[in-house]
């Protein structure tokens, strides 16, 4: 709730004007990002080169996420899903549940131990994770083949890759709203915590979202608009795309919070059952008196409201020794406040929620197909932001450059599919694009308003 306000403000005062600026210069000058800024002033070509470098950095780690999605997609054709239950460990005398998995959860264990096979720190490489290396290679082959076909055919692909996620999101939203607890999640989403708006971090993240969602500073928008007709109404396009983007973000967030509300409800039910069992044990050993418990409460089928009533009574009566009883307050809000973001949201929170869906493999296949789809759509724009400017400037053959670019990016990308690769992905995601993009768009503004001339 508090995040939507900065996001909408920044979309209006930063997103739409910058998106319009990039559409307009690409459409008018009809070159990629290097060519456009060179045309305005030969001294400004560096802005285009900076955009290319940022695109390359983002492409390096972004395709790894597509690789992860391909891996999960390939594993989704099983019933039950492989991350549904904790694995069993056998020793000479008996079989038991993997202790590490029991402490966390089946989906968390599968993500870190089975999928990533993660090492304990950034400095410990652990060698290549061969499963993820194959998935990364497959992702780069798909991007390379689509880009060689050129903008006309990738335009046809875009129709599918743009519309398919809406179908999946709507299906997920309808399914999500039918789940127990989904309303709690959506209520939490729209409840504004206005004190958060005073934190610079929220504004920074909102700005990052605006930059990434609209592709500002990457050069992809300039590259794509250079193929537009000269009389295309790019002003209308800028406003339309920005608002479609905003409503898509809200739709996706509704889906996320409906599913997170459902997940929080399941965790809360487990919490109530475990703590009710503790109360029964304390009643048996005489640490608690039966007189404290209201007559209408039945511990065999206790609700969250009844448990919290009992919890409050015990807390008031046993004020001094309450901490030693080891009872927890089971509140859905507490679970929802444990913010999950980035890869944890897609590969841990969502996968866990889907294990509770009826026909869970179907939903898992749809979800990861959508992620691959969205990822490839973004990658086309990112790679276009590298290739178009270089082709325009150095007059090289596009097909050869695309293959070389994808091959080099795959080879450098091998650092992300080591066992320590997830740490590198996090590092690149945090540092490689946000500040450079900000500098690029400030320089773009100066170039158009001061050097090219705002009236011209």
């Amino acid at each position: 709730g508090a995040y939507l306000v900065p996001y909408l403000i920044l979309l209006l005062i930063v997103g739409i004007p910058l998106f319009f600026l990039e559409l307009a210069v690409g459409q008018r000058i009809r070159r990629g990002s290097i060519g456009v800024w060179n045309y305005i002033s030969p001294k400004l070509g560096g802005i285009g080169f900076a955009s290319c470098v940022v695109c390359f950095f983002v492409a390096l780690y972004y395709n790894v996420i597509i690789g992860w999605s391909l891996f999960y997609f390939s594993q989704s054709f099983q019933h039950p899903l492989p991350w549904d239950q904790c694995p069993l460990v056998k020793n000479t005398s008996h079989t038991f549940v993997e202790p590490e998995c029991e402490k966390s959860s089946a989906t968390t264990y599968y993500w870190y131990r089975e999928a990533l096979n993660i090492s304990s720190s950034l400095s410990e490489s652990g060698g290549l994770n061969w499963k993820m290396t194959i998935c990364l290679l497959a992702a780069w082959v798909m991007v390379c083949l689509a880009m060689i076909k050129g903008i006309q055919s990738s335009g046809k692909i875009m129709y599918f890759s743009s519309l398919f996620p809406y179908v999946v999101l709507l299906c997920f939203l309808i399914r999500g709203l039918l789940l127990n607890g989904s309303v709690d999640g959506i209520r939490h989403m729209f409840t504004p915590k206005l004190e958060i708006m005073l934190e610079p971090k929220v504004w920074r993240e909102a700005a990052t979202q605006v930059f990434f969602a609209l592709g500002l500073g990457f050069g992809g928008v300039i590259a794509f608009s250079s193929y537009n007709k000269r009389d295309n109404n790019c002003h209308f396009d800028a406003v339309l795309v920005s608002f479609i983007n905003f409503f898509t973000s809200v739709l996706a967030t509704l889906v996320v919070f409906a599913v997170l509300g459902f997940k929080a409800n399941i965790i809360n039910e487990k919490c109530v059952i475990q703590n009710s069992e503790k109360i029964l044990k304390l009643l048996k050993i005489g640490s608690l008196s039966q007189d404290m418990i209201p007559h209408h409460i039945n511990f065999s089928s206790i609700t969250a409201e009844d448990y919290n009533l009992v919890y409050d009574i015990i807390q008031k009566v046993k004020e001094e020794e309450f901490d030693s009883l080891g009872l927890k307050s089971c509140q859905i809000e507490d679970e929802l406040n444990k913010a999950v973001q980035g890869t944890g949201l897609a590969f841990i929170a969502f996968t866990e929620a889907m294990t509770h869906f009826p026909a869970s493999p179907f939903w898992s296949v749809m979800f990861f197909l959508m992620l691959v789809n969205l990822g490839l759509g973004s990658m086309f724009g990112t790679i276009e932001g590298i290739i178009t400017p270089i082709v325009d400037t150095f007059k090289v053959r596009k097909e050869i450059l695309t293959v070389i670019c994808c091959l080099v990016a795959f080879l450098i990308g091998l650092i992300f599919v080591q066992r320590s690769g997830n740490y590198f992905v996090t590092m690149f995601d945090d540092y490689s694009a946000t500040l450079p993009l900000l500098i690029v768009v400030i320089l773009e503004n100066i170039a158009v308003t001061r050097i090219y001339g705002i009236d011209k």
Side-chain angles (χ1 to χ4, degrees):
Y3 177 82
L4 281 171
V5 178
Y7 177 66
L8 192 54
I9 291 168
L10 290 172
L11 181 73
L12 291 171
I13 65 168
V14 177
I16 296 175
L18 283 173
F19 192 61
F20 173 51
L21 181 144
E22 293 200 1
L23 280 176
V25 293
Q27 186 175 308
R28 175 71 187 84
I29 300 168
R30 312 195 73 69
R31 295 182 197 176
S33 55
I34 298 172
V36 158
W37 306 115
N38 265 332
Y39 174 87
I40 290 173
S41 169
K43 292 176 183 175
L44 293 175
I47 300 176
F49 283 107
S51 291
C52 285
V53 172
V54 172
C55 280
F56 192 67
F57 279 153
V58 171
L60 285 177
Y61 76 86
Y62 201 92
N63 226 19
V64 176
I65 299 167
I66 298 176
W68 293 342
S69 304
L70 283 170
F71 173 75
Y72 268 82
F73 175 70
S74 67
Q75 298 298 304
S76 297
F77 295 90
Q78 301 176 48
H79 189 72
L81 290 165
W83 49 85
D84 190 24
Q85 300 289 335
C86 282
L88 298 172
V89 181
K90 290 180 183 175
N91 64 10
T92 48
S93 55
H94 65 295
T95 304
F96 56 95
V97 175
E98 171 64 58
E100 188 187 353
C101 181
E102 205 168 21
K103 274 185 189 174
S104 54
S105 71
T107 46
T108 307
Y109 180 84
Y110 187 85
W111 168 238
Y112 287 113
R113 291 284 171 245
E114 299 290 334
L116 297 181
N117 190 16
I118 201 165
S119 64
S120 56
S121 73
L122 183 69
S123 56
E124 186 191 323
S125 158
L128 286 177
N129 175 345
W130 66 268
K131 289 183 283 193
M132 289 307 170
T133 307
I134 292 168
C135 290
L136 180 64
L137 179 62
W140 274 115
V141 167
M142 287 162 77
V143 169
C144 187
L145 291 174
M147 292 308 299
I148 286 171
K149 288 281 186 184
I151 196 91
Q152 286 80 15
S153 61
S154 75
K156 294 186 186 82
I157 295 165
M158 285 286 186
Y159 277 111
F160 173 76
S161 67
S162 300
L163 295 173
F164 175 70
Y166 285 102
V167 175
V168 178
L169 281 174
L170 283 169
C171 291
F172 261 100
L173 183 61
I174 294 162
R175 183 72 198 90
L177 290 172
L178 297 172
L179 297 168
N180 185 28
S182 61
V183 177
D184 296 317
I186 289 169
R187 192 186 301 121
H188 182 82
M189 170 189 164
F190 284 112
T191 306
K193 297 178 181 67
L194 295 176
E195 67 279 6
I196 296 173
M197 275 182 68
L198 302 173
E199 293 177 19
K201 181 174 173 254
V202 172
W203 288 84
R204 197 192 80 206
E205 287 182 353
T208 305
Q209 178 62 22
V210 169
F211 280 114
F212 269 80
L214 293 174
L216 303 174
F218 287 96
V221 175
I222 295 174
F224 278 129
S225 69
S226 69
Y227 294 92
N228 275 346
K229 292 172 183 167
R230 278 185 186 274
D231 59 350
N232 177 57
N233 185 351
C234 55
H235 190 264
F236 174 76
D237 288 354
V239 177
L240 180 69
V241 170
S242 300
F243 277 104
I244 289 174
N245 194 291
F246 174 71
F247 289 117
T248 305
S249 298
V250 173
L251 172 64
T253 314
L254 280 170
V255 173
V256 167
F257 274 90
V259 171
L260 289 181
F262 166 64
K263 181 173 171 270
N265 239 52
I266 288 169
I267 294 169
N268 203 52
E269 281 171 15
K270 281 184 191 170
C271 174
V272 168
I273 292 164
Q274 286 168 355
N275 284 279
S276 298
E277 286 169 359
K278 276 186 192 173
I279 292 171
L280 285 170
K281 281 179 189 170
L282 292 166
L283 287 167
K284 269 184 190 172
I285 60 172
S287 297
L288 293 176
S289 163
Q290 188 68 48
D291 299 335
M292 290 184 198
I293 312 300
H295 298 301
H296 72 278
I297 284 171
N298 176 12
F299 280 106
S300 60
S301 58
I302 191 167
T303 63
E305 288 80 9
D306 284 347
Y307 168 75
N308 285 315
L309 175 68
V310 174
Y311 177 87
D312 289 341
I313 293 168
I314 295 170
Q315 193 175 23
K316 282 171 189 166
V317 176
K318 295 274 184 180
E319 198 173 340
E320 288 173 12
E321 60 211 89
F322 181 76
D323 290 343
S324 63
L325 298 176
L327 295 175
K328 286 183 184 173
S329 167
C330 298
Q331 300 284 350
I332 284 180
E333 282 299 309
D334 295 342
E335 283 304 322
L336 287 166
N337 281 329
K338 292 175 187 172
V340 196
Q341 61 182 32
T343 52
L345 180 66
F347 298 102
I348 299 173
F350 243 84
T351 48
E352 187 173 330
M354 282 186 294
T355 58
H356 301 287
F357 284 15
S360 53
F362 167 76
W363 293 103
S364 187
V365 166
M366 291 291 278
F367 178 69
F368 288 108
L369 182 60
M370 178 184 78
L371 280 194
V372 171
N373 211 313
L374 288 168
L376 288 173
S378 296
M379 277 300 292
F380 296 156
T382 307
I383 299 294
E384 197 69 47
I386 302 168
I387 289 168
T388 303
I390 295 174
V391 169
D392 288 349
T393 309
F394 301 107
K395 302 293 182 270
V396 286
R397 274 195 67 193
K398 188 174 181 178
E399 293 80 3
I400 296 167
L401 180 65
T402 304
V403 172
I404 292 169
C405 178
C406 292
L407 185 62
V408 169
F410 168 69
L411 293 172
I412 298 173
L414 292 175
I415 64 166
F416 300 108
V417 287
Q418 303 173 95
R419 286 182 56 212
S420 61
N422 192 43
Y423 305 118
F424 285 98
V425 170
T426 306
M427 185 169 70
F428 266 68
D429 191 31
D430 285 345
Y431 298 110
S432 70
T434 314
L435 187 62
L437 285 178
L438 191 61
I439 295 166
V440 165
V441 296
I442 288 169
L443 291 173
E444 284 183 1
N445 255 310
I446 294 166
V448 171
T449 55
R450 298 275 167 248
I451 297 164
Y452 190 73
I454 194 78
D455 296 332
K456 186 178 167 187

